Amino acid sequence: MIPWLTIAIALPAVGAALIWALPRTAAPAAARTAAARASASASPAGGGTATAVRPAAPAATGGGASALTAKRLALGFSLGTLAVVAAMALRFDTSAAGDLQFEEVHPWIPRFGVNYAVGVDGIALALILMSVVLVPLVVLAAWNEHEDRPDGGRGYFALILALEAMMVGVFAATDVFLFYVFFEAMLIPVYFMIGRYGRGDDRARAAVKFLLYSLAGGLIMLVSVIGVYVLGGGFLWSDLAGEGGALAAVDPVTARWLFLGFFIAFAIKAPMWPVHTWLPSAAGASRPGTAVLLVGVLDKVGTYGMLRYCLELFPSAVSWFVWPVVGLSLVSIIYGAILAIGQNDMMRLVAYTSVSHFGFITLGIFALTAQGQAGAALYMVNHGFATGALFLVVGFLIARRGTSLITDYGGVQKVAPKLAGVFLVVGLAGLALPGLAPFVSEFLVFLGVYAFSPLPAVIAAVGVVLAALYILWMYQRTMNGPTKEGLTGMRDLSARETWAVAPLLALILALGVYPQPALDVINPAVERTVGIGTADGASEGAAGAQEEEGNAE
Amino acid sequence: MIPHMDLPVITEAPPQMDWWLLAPLLTVFAAGVLGVLLEAFAPKERRRGIQIVLAVLALLATFVLLVLQVGTLPADEPGVTVAAGVLAVDRTVIFFQGTITVLALISLLLISERRDGRDAFAAQAATVPGSEEERAHILAGSQHTEVYPLVLFAVLGMLMFPASNDFLTMFIALEVMSLPLYLLCGLARRRRLFSQEAAVKYFLLGAFSSAFFLFGIAMVYGYAGSVNFGEIRTAVEAGGAEIFQGGDGEPLLLMGIGLVAVGLLFKVGAVPFHNWKPDVYQGAPTPITALMASCTLVAAFGALLRVFFVPFGGSIEAWQPMLWVVAVLTMVVAAVIAVTQRDVKRLLAYSSVVHAGFILTAVVAGSTDGLAGAMFYLAAYGFTTLGAFAVVTLVRTKDGGQELGDLERWAGLGRRSPGLAGALALFLLAFAGIPLTSGFIGKFAVFEAAVAAGAAPLVVVGVLSSAVTAFFYVRIIVVMFFRDPEGEGPTVVRAGAATGGVIAIGVAATLLLGVYPGPVLDNLLPSSETGPEPVAVMVDQATTETGSAAASE
């Protein structure tokens, strides 16, 4: 039997190690900075006196060559990972998508009952697929981003691959400890991607903010992880979860605390109002490629964790949390949308739209209905593609103009029609236009939430209206109107950029018209979750709902 | 009125000395004495070489002897006492001693490192700082080779400290350990007044705490009628020596426990007995700081665990609340103060205080798992902190200048020497407890023990304090990697083979114990599940009581 998941984790990790191990230029620091300056200003061979250029030139070409090798390696390894995961997905037994497949279990730290245990059900598979689709596109989009750095961005590409390994690992882990390890460890590459390779002067602060928020959440979760171990006697998810699981006998109050520990970490990650404040600044200071992975994949770990860990490990606690979480989700939806409207920075704007979208996802999850959760799971995938594409297009704009401020743009449509067209399509995907993928998932969420309770669905619908406002207004201000000064010579999409964004457009369209393959994979897995949620939750949830409303008045 | 007294020295037959089991201590002692003689007889120019070889060989021999001893311990018994019951030899003690020996060997590498013919120590400590005489000694290339025998004596004390089986021996070990350290602290080559001030502070406060310790011993002796740990334990379980009736000796015991605890908590640097740490760590020559931060901490915690688990093991409910308070104070106060630190050595000192707090949570647990967790934590922390201090010795104000303590001026280190900054970043991440480093496994081990013993609130405080400490670790990474150097920036002196070796060992141990800690956790540490085989005397006597106490909570 082929250990597909292990290969999918190991392959990018090996790639990252290879890129790190590429020979560095032996030039001393002074020559290296000189080389960087020389390569940045003009072609090293052409200008300058021979004596000044001689020591710089070999360093420059050496750095450039190894940077190019690094990019090629990164693209190669990410495509290889995509191929491995795609091959795995083809072997995935859709009829048993609710069960863990491709399972591997090896003891890792016997003393604590920790296993290296991986496996995927339908939801995990869909999220892994989404992640590995995004990574090569990010590499492609970031191809020329770091030309001016001394290392040519080599470290950035190594970090992307290292992150990819952890992203696959975090979704594939079926051991709570292993999940936690990936959950925390993946902060480090992102931290360096923002702080070291990010944009703007504020990036160090943004990186620290991101890390501290996530770390604080993660540490709170650690208490719950330890609690799970102490009460459950092990970490294997399959032993812990469900009716007959080791955690079923935990008394409800303890279960609530443990649930809360996990939930806080996931809410910070997701990010949910009021612990969302790290995301706009992190996204604003990120390179677009980083933002794609951060918002598109990393934040999904939060919502995925709620579904997989909060709900399935502590079914008895769920009903208690339903209404508070629904309330927070609604606030996130409206608040994120309103703040998105007010943004002048496109990166921050997209980040705020994501706060709003994540509100829909958590709303769908905690509606505890099959449609709601299927919609939420599908939303995670679609949001990854749609928001990923949106970030990439904003990145193309930034690459041309050097700024992400809306006020610096205008009339782009006249000079770069292809770019504007793509921008419009991904924007419309962001506001969930029918025919595009996010519509399906958002519609499912609405169905599920309405079945759960009409009021939240009505409030959430306001978010959809606001979505139209922030997307279309952004489009209008940047693409329409008279062409701004300095934009007249703007290039349209290059072949590389087209390749980076075309697959996403194709996926958005395909999943919008025919979402059945994705739903086939997701639905059985959701059934299992819902089964757990409703068995203890639905009736109590309704009771709790009335109680909650009574309290609210 | 003196209760029955049968100290072993009064017996007529000479006490049974098991020379084989005493061999490790005797080796270090003999080498120390030989070192003193060498000072008198060896020619001046060859002294240093001989001293280093002697010290390294002695410690190597000690380690080999310790490893060999494990095999000769009776398999069915946890351990034995030697030299008329003043010392205990069991697997736990041997683990502590082995750890101390290895860490001391590594520290010795740092201590012996020389640059341009100068080590980290004053040319002639007896000269007045800044005087002509001092200049003359510096120019003449004088050096204090007494450092090596002093280190050996300190190590002797450290080896005895956790092995003591009665309070008098423990007090002697404490003094044998401390006196050379007081001296060594005052020997810094640069900023000598500062160093001398540190030594005086350390000495005065240390002497003060020794007095508390001694006073506590007297109380305990009054209560139990013996200084022997086994007999104290019996007395504690029986409610005091024969002269007491109906628990009217209880105040004596409580005072005794409290005062002894003051002495021991001073040595580990727990709040409120931590004030010496930042001053001493900052003022002492950095290699000595490294020795204290690793070996002394291990020895002090070894003794602390021994005292609380063996003689006071029967009155866990008496000392547990006290240690709760101390642990919370230590974790919170030190973390908050550390945030404001600007000097790297002071920061590492406060960080060491916080870590002492984390380890105290495992002591509070009072269980076998707690003991094992603390042991793992200490070993892991020792290697990491040695590596961190090794890095500190390399960052200077200018070539041949003094160490650069001011963190703000470390800006750009990541660009100047990425390898060194990367290593330090890894150590800091380990301190912060990021997964895949040894720090995380250690943190998990101690927190798990605490939660299992019903101290979950303590662990919540612990993780919150971890989040605060993460802030200042991350800040160092920000300064090193994300900031441009100011002016010339820090100068990094070339790592000699010794310092480079220390950093390499630190990196290797941090990663290895983080990724694959299984062998250490399973084979070297006591466990409540595997029966008496790896369980030490220390635990064997303690588990019956503390285990049930923990279970009943």
Side-chain angles (χ1 to χ4, degrees):
Chain A
M1 207 181 97
I2 305 169
W4 290 102
L5 287 165
T6 303
I7 295 175
I9 295 170
L11 199 61
V14 169
L18 269 181
I19 295 179
W20 275 119
L22 282 178
R24 279 160 203 276
T25 48
R32 216 182 303 156
T33 47
R37 227 173 290 137
S39 65
S41 59
S43 67
T49 61
T51 45
V53 170
R54 184 74 29 113
T61 50
S66 82
L68 188 64
T69 320
K71 290 174 198 170
R72 287 183 178 154
L73 275 175
L75 190 61
F77 271 93
S78 56
L79 285 174
T81 314
L82 175 59
V84 169
V85 175
M88 183 183 83
L90 289 178
R91 284 155 194 267
F92 187 79
D93 181 3
T94 321
S95 60
D99 303 329
L100 293 175
Q101 299 185 30
F102 308 109
E103 272 193 290
E104 298 166 48
V105 179
H106 307 287
W108 177 21
I109 309 175
R111 189 188 174 98
F112 299 134
V114 175
N115 293 288
Y116 171 80
V118 289
V120 287
D121 63 357
I123 299 175
L125 180 75
L127 288 169
I128 291 175
L129 255 176
M130 178 201 74
S131 315
V132 297
V133 166
L134 286 177
V135 171
L137 304 179
V138 165
V139 171
L140 212 53
W143 201 259
N144 294 330
E145 253 173 20
H146 301 278
E147 300 276 86
D148 54 336
R149 289 194 72 86
D151 68 347
R154 206 175 53 171
Y156 184 70
F157 292 101
L159 288 173
I160 288 183
L161 284 187
L163 180 62
E164 181 176 24
M166 292 170 188
M167 291 186 314
V168 176
V170 81
F171 289 126
T174 55
D175 180 286
V176 180
F177 190 95
L178 186 68
F179 171 80
Y180 183 80
V181 165
F182 282 123
F183 183 82
E184 289 280 88
M186 66 200 298
L187 303 178
I188 303 304
V190 179
Y191 171 63
F192 281 101
M193 282 162 78
I194 297 174
R196 196 159 194 211
Y197 297 96
R199 301 182 318 121
D201 300 331
D202 220 22
R203 59 176 189 255
R205 262 176 59 97
V208 171
K209 199 170 171 187
F210 157 76
L211 189 68
L212 289 181
Y213 261 90
S214 308
L215 212 54
L219 284 164
I220 291 169
M221 182 168 136
L222 179 62
V223 182
S224 283
V225 170
I226 292 172
V228 163
Y229 170 65
V230 169
L231 296 170
F235 282 117
L236 267 189
W237 183 82
S238 46
D239 294 346
L240 294 168
E243 297 287 311
L247 290 175
V250 174
D251 75 280
V253 179
T254 315
R256 270 174 223 164
W257 282 109
L258 295 176
F259 181 106
L260 191 66
F262 278 98
F263 183 78
I264 291 176
F266 295 144
I268 289 176
K269 199 80 160 188
M272 209 167 190
W273 185 88
V275 283
H276 66 283
T277 52
W278 63 270
L279 182 69
S281 55
S286 293
R287 296 277 176 178
T290 313
V292 171
L293 296 180
L294 180 69
V295 179
V297 182
L298 244 75
D299 292 351
K300 302 293 165 25
V301 180
T303 44
Y304 170 77
M306 289 179 197
L307 204 55
R308 170 60 68 81
Y309 292 94
C310 286
L311 255 53
E312 296 205 48
L313 289 185
F314 314 107
S316 62
V318 173
S319 57
W320 206 77
F321 284 95
V322 165
W323 276 99
V325 176
V326 166
L328 289 178
S329 305
L330 291 175
V331 175
S332 293
I333 291 173
I334 305 294
Y335 182 84
I338 291 176
L339 261 74
I341 293 171
Q343 295 304 308
N344 188 32
D345 183 317
M346 284 185 278
M347 298 290 281
R348 292 178 70 91
L349 189 147
V350 180
Y352 274 115
T353 68
S354 294
V355 173
S356 181
H357 290 158
F358 278 108
F360 280 108
I361 298 177
T362 48
L363 190 63
I365 292 173
F366 279 83
L368 297 179
T369 53
Q371 283 162 326
Q373 292 190 343
L378 190 61
Y379 210 136
M380 289 190 225
V381 177
N382 290 338
H383 176 265
F385 292 140
T387 306
L390 198 51
F391 269 126
L392 288 184
V393 177
V394 171
F396 299 153
L397 286 172
I398 296 173
R400 284 164 173 71
R401 186 77 168 82
T403 164
S404 54
L405 297 183
I406 292 176
T407 40
D408 289 341
Y409 293 90
V412 173
Q413 193 257 334
K414 294 193 187 75
V415 283
K418 250 164 72 184
L419 178 61
V422 173
F423 192 70
L424 183 63
V425 174
V426 296
L428 292 177
L431 63 82
L433 189 79
L436 299 175
F439 170 73
V440 181
S441 42
E442 203 161 289
F443 190 70
L444 276 173
V445 168
F446 272 114
L447 282 182
V449 174
Y450 195 85
F452 160 72
S453 168
L455 183 65
V458 171
I459 297 175
V462 178
V464 183
V465 179
L466 294 174
L469 201 56
Y470 56 68
I471 292 289
L472 292 177
W473 199 31
M474 171 168 78
Y475 181 82
Q476 185 196 338
R477 285 185 289 169
T478 53
M479 299 295 154
N480 294 347
T483 305
K484 274 250 170 91
E485 214 173 311
L487 293 175
T488 38
M490 193 182 229
R491 288 181 293 114
D492 208 341
L493 285 185
S494 70
R496 174 181 62 82
E497 288 165 337
T498 313
W499 275 110
V501 78
L504 292 179
L505 285 183
L507 280 166
I508 291 170
L509 274 172
L511 286 175
V513 179
Y514 188 58
Q516 205 50 45
L519 284 172
D520 281 345
V521 174
I522 287 171
N523 272 334
V526 166
E527 296 295 335
R528 190 194 61 216
T529 320
V530 172
I532 289 165
T534 44
D536 301 77
S539 54
E540 280 180 47
Q546 286 159 0
E547 208 175 297
E548 195 69 28
E549 274 174 336
N551 292 345
E553 297 318 320
Chain B
M1 179 180 148
I2 299 174
H4 69 283
M5 212 174 147
D6 41 37
L7 290 177
V9 280
I10 305 174
T11 53
E12 284 171 25
Q16 182 75 36
M17 304 297 278
D18 195 330
W19 298 110
W20 162 244
L21 290 174
L22 287 174
L25 293 176
L26 292 177
T27 310
V28 179
F29 182 59
V33 172
L34 201 60
V36 174
L37 287 176
L38 279 175
E39 283 301 313
F41 295 114
K44 196 177 172 187
E45 60 276 10
R46 291 175 57 194
R47 242 184 252 160
R48 180 173 172 272
I50 300 175
Q51 290 281 22
I52 292 175
V53 171
L54 176 69
V56 168
L57 283 180
L59 289 179
L60 278 178
T62 308
F63 186 71
V64 172
L65 285 170
L66 285 168
V67 172
L68 292 176
Q69 265 184 9
V70 178
T72 63
L73 285 178
D76 48 343
E77 283 172 47
V80 290
T81 55
V82 289
V86 300
L87 291 175
V89 177
D90 59 42
R91 288 174 177 81
T92 305
V93 166
I94 290 177
F95 179 88
F96 277 120
Q97 291 181 331
T99 309
I100 293 167
T101 314
V102 172
L103 294 175
L105 253 174
I106 302 171
S107 315
L108 209 56
L109 292 179
L110 275 185
I111 292 170
S112 67
E113 181 73 274
R114 274 207 298 192
R115 278 169 220 299
D116 313 325
R118 292 171 181 185
D119 54 20
F121 302 97
Q124 172 54 262
T127 56
V128 177
S131 65
E132 271 306 308
E133 210 183 344
E134 184 193 33
R135 262 177 59 83
H137 273 288
I138 292 173
L139 289 176
S142 304
Q143 53 185 333
H144 275 297
T145 46
E146 294 92 337
V147 166
Y148 300 97
L150 283 173
V151 168
L152 284 176
F153 283 127
V155 171
L156 171 69
M158 294 175 197
L159 295 180
M160 270 172 74
F161 205 24
S164 315
N165 197 38
D166 68 45
F167 269 123
L168 288 184
T169 314
M170 185 170 266
F171 181 70
I172 292 167
L174 174 71
E175 294 302 312
V176 170
M177 171 178 94
S178 304
L179 289 172
L181 286 178
Y182 299 147
L183 267 177
L184 289 167
C185 282
L187 290 183
R189 172 174 286 271
R190 300 172 194 284
R191 303 180 77 186
R192 285 188 55 204
L193 285 174
F194 204 50
S195 164
Q196 291 175 357
E197 183 194 328
V200 171
K201 252 182 206 166
Y202 192 22
F203 172 69
L204 285 178
L205 290 173
F208 205 47
S209 80
S210 294
F212 273 103
F213 188 67
L214 208 50
F215 198 27
I217 294 174
M219 299 285 181
V220 174
Y221 179 75
Y223 173 77
S226 170
V227 289
N228 180 279
F229 284 176
E231 288 175 30
I232 294 173
R233 187 186 175 84
T234 317
V236 167
E237 277 161 7
E242 289 143 25
I243 54 162
F244 295 114
Q245 285 150 8
D248 56 357
E250 201 69 5
L252 264 188
L253 175 68
L254 292 182
M255 273 194 280
I257 292 178
L259 291 168
V260 165
V262 170
L264 292 170
L265 291 172
F266 174 84
K267 279 293 158 198
V268 305
V271 176
F273 315 109
H274 67 289
N275 281 314
W276 61 276
K277 245 186 184 176
D279 293 337
V280 173
Y281 275 30
Q282 190 183 14
T286 307
I288 298 301
T289 313
L291 178 77
M292 289 194 293
S294 54
C295 300
T296 312
L297 194 75
V298 177
F301 260 110
L304 185 110
L305 283 160
R306 197 165 170 74
V307 166
F308 282 113
F309 280 31
V310 181
F312 301 150
S315 60
I316 186 165
E317 61 289 337
W319 53 259
Q320 221 171 19
M322 172 185 77
L323 285 190
W324 261 79
V325 175
V326 172
V328 168
L329 276 179
T330 305
M331 290 188 288
V332 173
V333 173
V336 171
I337 299 178
V339 171
T340 64
Q341 297 306 311
R342 292 278 171 273
D343 183 277
V344 64
K345 279 166 85 179
R346 283 186 88 81
L347 190 103
L348 288 174
Y350 278 109
S351 139
S352 151
V353 177
V354 182
H355 285 286
F358 294 152
I359 302 172
L360 278 176
T361 60
V363 183
V364 168
S367 62
T368 312
D369 278 347
L371 177 63
M375 288 161 79
F376 184 88
Y377 201 115
L378 286 164
Y381 175 73
F383 284 106
T384 310
T385 198
L386 276 179
F389 279 110
V391 174
V392 172
T393 64
L394 295 178
V395 182
R396 307 287 178 113
T397 47
K398 59 179 193 293
D399 210 22
Q402 61 188 19
E403 284 162 13
L404 184 55
D406 184 6
L407 275 173
E408 292 302 311
R409 289 173 62 194
W410 282 41
L413 192 69
R415 224 160 283 173
R416 184 143 306 178
S417 30
L420 190 73
L424 183 58
L426 176 72
F427 298 143
L428 294 170
L429 292 178
F431 286 150
I434 300 288
L436 301 179
T437 65
S438 58
F440 171 65
I441 304 288
K443 210 168 257 179
F444 181 86
V446 295
F447 286 166
E448 186 268 320
V451 170
L458 200 57
V459 174
V460 173
V461 175
V463 296
L464 293 178
S465 142
S466 289
V468 176
T469 58
F471 170 73
F472 56 77
Y473 298 132
V474 167
R475 207 185 60 199
I476 302 180
I477 298 179
V478 168
V479 171
M480 289 195 302
F481 284 98
F482 302 164
R483 243 186 245 167
D484 293 323
E486 294 162 17
E488 277 298 289
T491 305
V492 176
V493 293
R494 258 177 65 84
T499 312
V502 174
I503 296 174
I505 293 171
V507 169
T510 303
L511 286 177
L512 205 64
L513 290 176
V515 176
Y516 195 57
V520 173
L521 287 167
D522 287 341
N523 300 323
L524 300 183
L525 300 181
S527 157
S528 47
E529 285 164 18
T530 44
E533 210 274 306
V535 180
V537 164
M538 185 146 141
V539 184
D540 189 46
Q541 295 182 347
T543 34
T544 45
E545 283 299 314
T546 56
S548 57
S552 68
E553 281 191 10

